[in-house]
Amino acid sequence: MAVILNGTSFPSMGGNDDDEDDSYVPYDQRPETYIVPVVFLLILVVGVTGNGLLVLTLLRHASMRNVPNTYVLSLALGDLLVIMTCVPFTSILYTIESWPWGLAVCKLSECAKDISIGVSVFTLTALSAERYCAIVNPIRRHVAGLSAKPLTILIASLIWVLAIVLAMPAALFSHVPPVMLQSNHTILICSPFPEEFGESYQRGMVMFKFLAYYAIPLCVITGFYLGMARHLELSTKNMPGELSTGCHHMEQIKARKKVGKMVIAFVIIFFICFLPYHVFMLWFHFCPSSKNDYDDFWHAFRIVGFCLSFVNSCVNPIALYFVSGTFRKRFNEYLCCGLTRDPQSSQRNGSRSVNFSQRRRIGETSFTSTIRRHTQELNSTVLYELGSEETTRPT
């Protein structure tokens, strides 16, 4: 029989003596001892670089400070939190036996991890709701007299407060208990489950995190996107006659679908990355025979889920790089030479580009050609500005 400690397995003192020789494998003979640190090093480098450049881009460029990008900024900050506070410490869980960082780092690591997960899933839910409102009824918020940006900042702030409150049990109850192995060797582990609370507390927390951080948000987000898909389908059918002659309407529909795909990419990434983790935790804590059935398959499954839960913190900027031409341009500028360029020179170049573009538009004689050019630029440069796109109407 095995117990799970620090994301790995050790033989239990109550196990069968006949299995003792095969139940424990020294760390230097385990493949994860060498694989997991490399994976976490990549997560650290890619996550800090990608999320850091994403935050820098959204803060420095006023044209990108729209409502959805406020939520994207919150996502990036949450990812940076877990990368900076958890990844350097938890990367050693499959490398050494005993937790070497002490109680304070244990509490910080467990708490920051829960905060980051809460910020991610609640922000994705809010972003899905915002996209639903922007597509289905974009003028309702203005009719109600609500200012979009202050309201978004308030919601993002409340999301962080809620995530911090839900992470308080990890900050209060995480501890570093000693565990004796069968070889009479005592090690320390970082555990979020106090022994005095018993198995009922462990199962309750596992089920709560599954429902609050995974199942319920998944159902809510799915509902929003089903509603958006239905509305887009109906809006496509309800444009008679103009579909064949109005290029603006066709480009507008394509832009709506493109923005929807961008947002849902974040959602799919999150739920795929955390699915193995929740499956393992539910199986291990609720299956009566899990401790006896824990074998090489479940051990490998646990490691995959453990790594994917942290991979989620670095893949959003990668996805954004491939789906957004605007972010890809800014990313390349900052990564290559953007940090050393003269800002005034960039502004002058931008002004010359705008003036040149305006002069070209003056020479345009076809109204349809002008509309087509406008919508093509909109689709290629705007990341999450569907709300403004929907208010544009042909004259």
Side-chain angles (χ1 to χ4, degrees):
M1 182 172 64
V3 293
I4 306 302
L5 305 174
N6 286 344
T8 187
S9 62
F10 294 99
S12 171
M13 293 302 296
N16 192 336
D17 292 339
D18 295 336
D19 297 333
E20 288 184 5
D21 294 337
D22 299 329
S23 58
Y24 180 76
V25 178
Y27 266 61
D28 57 355
Q29 300 180 18
R30 302 181 185 185
E32 62 266 25
T33 301
Y34 309 98
I35 297 176
V36 173
V38 174
V39 173
F40 271 73
L41 178 61
L42 293 175
I43 293 174
L44 181 64
V45 174
V46 175
V48 172
T49 303
N51 288 289
L53 290 178
L54 177 56
V55 171
L56 181 64
T57 299
L58 296 179
L59 291 180
R60 291 192 63 180
H61 298 279
S63 61
M64 301 185 69
R65 297 172 192 167
N66 52 40
V67 171
N69 280 353
T70 303
Y71 292 120
V72 175
L73 175 62
S74 180
L75 277 175
L77 292 175
D79 290 337
L80 280 176
L81 173 67
V82 72
I83 290 173
M84 298 300 294
T85 60
C86 295
V87 170
F89 305 113
T90 56
S91 61
I92 54 89
L93 295 184
Y94 289 92
T95 307
I96 61 177
E97 289 181 329
S98 186
W99 176 263
W101 307 112
L103 178 61
V105 174
C106 175
K107 290 180 176 291
L108 175 63
S109 177
E110 292 293 332
C111 180
K113 182 173 62 176
D114 287 351
I115 291 175
S116 177
I117 295 174
V119 168
S120 296
V121 68
F122 299 148
T123 301
L124 290 173
T125 306
L127 183 57
S128 302
E130 191 277 334
R131 287 293 86 197
Y132 176 83
C133 294
I135 291 178
V136 175
N137 197 342
I139 66 173
R140 177 181 300 174
R141 190 164 46 196
H142 301 286
V143 173
L146 298 176
S147 181
K149 186 160 292 187
L151 179 62
T152 303
I153 295 175
L154 176 62
I155 294 176
S157 301
L158 292 177
I159 287 175
W160 276 85
V161 172
L162 177 61
I164 292 173
V165 170
L166 294 181
M168 282 297 100
L172 296 175
F173 302 131
S174 294
H175 62 305
V176 184
V179 174
M180 181 177 292
L181 303 181
Q182 289 180 335
S183 58
N184 294 326
H185 175 60
T186 300
I187 65 172
L188 299 176
I189 67 169
C190 176
S191 173
F193 304 128
E195 297 178 358
E196 59 269 22
F197 289 179
E199 293 186 359
S200 60
Y201 176 79
Q202 298 183 22
R203 294 179 178 178
M205 290 301 298
V206 169
M207 180 58 67
F208 171 77
K209 290 183 178 181
F210 170 72
L211 294 176
Y213 293 153
Y214 197 84
I216 295 177
L218 177 60
C219 294
V220 174
I221 292 173
T222 301
F224 280 129
Y225 275 97
L226 288 177
M228 278 188 278
R230 178 62 175 170
H231 178 80
L232 290 174
E233 180 182 1
L234 293 177
S235 65
T236 303
K237 295 180 180 180
N238 291 335
M239 289 183 178
E242 297 184 358
L243 287 175
S244 58
T245 59
C247 295
H248 177 74
H249 288 290
M250 294 296 296
E251 296 293 345
Q252 189 179 58
I253 294 172
K254 292 179 181 179
R256 290 179 177 183
K257 294 181 178 180
K258 183 177 180 180
V259 172
K261 291 178 181 179
M262 291 176 184
V263 179
I264 202 172
F266 287 153
V267 178
I268 294 176
I269 289 171
F270 178 87
F271 287 105
I272 288 179
C273 287
F274 279 92
L275 177 61
Y277 169 81
H278 286 290
V279 168
F280 176 84
M281 294 299 289
L282 290 173
W283 170 81
F284 185 78
H285 288 279
F286 287 92
C287 180
S289 61
S290 60
K291 293 179 177 61
N292 292 322
D293 296 338
Y294 188 86
D295 53 14
D296 292 339
F297 168 79
W298 283 111
H299 185 60
F301 190 87
R302 172 68 178 90
I303 295 175
V304 171
F306 177 78
C307 292
L308 281 178
S309 65
F310 287 95
V311 166
N312 176 76
S313 299
C314 70
V315 294
N316 284 342
I318 298 176
L320 200 55
Y321 181 88
F322 287 104
V323 301
S324 170
T326 301
F327 177 70
R328 182 164 56 251
K329 178 181 177 181
R330 301 297 183 187
F331 185 94
N332 291 335
E333 289 178 357
Y334 288 131
L335 188 62
C336 298
C337 59
L339 292 177
T340 60
R341 291 177 60 185
D342 183 7
Q344 295 181 355
S345 175
S346 300
Q347 293 178 359
R348 289 194 299 268
N349 293 335
S351 300
R352 286 196 295 268
S353 299
V354 172
N355 293 333
F356 177 75
S357 178
Q358 290 176 349
R359 289 196 298 270
R360 290 193 60 185
R361 287 192 177 92
I362 293 176
E364 294 285 351
T365 58
S366 172
F367 177 79
T368 303
S369 178
T370 303
I371 292 297
R372 184 185 298 111
R373 184 181 302 278
H374 172 72
T375 53
Q376 287 175 346
E377 292 174 354
L378 187 65
N379 290 338
S380 62
T381 59
V382 178
L383 173 61
Y384 290 113
E385 297 187 6
L386 183 57
S388 61
E389 291 171 5
E390 292 175 344
T391 59
T392 304
R393 295 291 185 271
T395 58

